[in-house]
Amino acid sequence: MKANVGSIDRTIRILVGACLIAATLFGVIGPWGWLGLVPLATGIFRFCPAYCPFGFRTCTIEK
């Protein structure tokens, strides 16, 4: 797995994922907030499987 998630994209994914999980834990939103695990994991691992079929990447190309 090559990294295909850049630093800004990564930061946004981690923040959104953590906020969704926190909102679920505090009872602000329902159980669908556990979907926040997806952006959190893709941000941590710097790899998004949805980008692969389209050849999309938000990180710099390694030389």
Side-chain angles (χ1 to χ4, degrees):
M1 292 186 321
K2 286 189 174 183
N4 62 2
V5 175
S7 60
I8 295 173
D9 190 9
R10 180 181 189 200
T11 303
I12 293 169
R13 287 170 184 264
I14 292 173
L15 286 174
V16 168
C19 287
L20 282 171
I21 293 168
T24 300
L25 291 174
F26 290 117
V28 177
I29 58 175
W32 65 268
W34 288 109
L35 289 174
L37 289 171
V38 174
L40 183 65
T42 58
I44 290 171
F45 294 115
R46 296 188 65 133
F47 178 76
C48 180
Y51 283 180
C52 289
F54 305 107
F56 190 68
R57 47 186 307 138
T58 58
C59 61
T60 58
I61 297 174
E62 299 173 8
K63 293 182 180 181

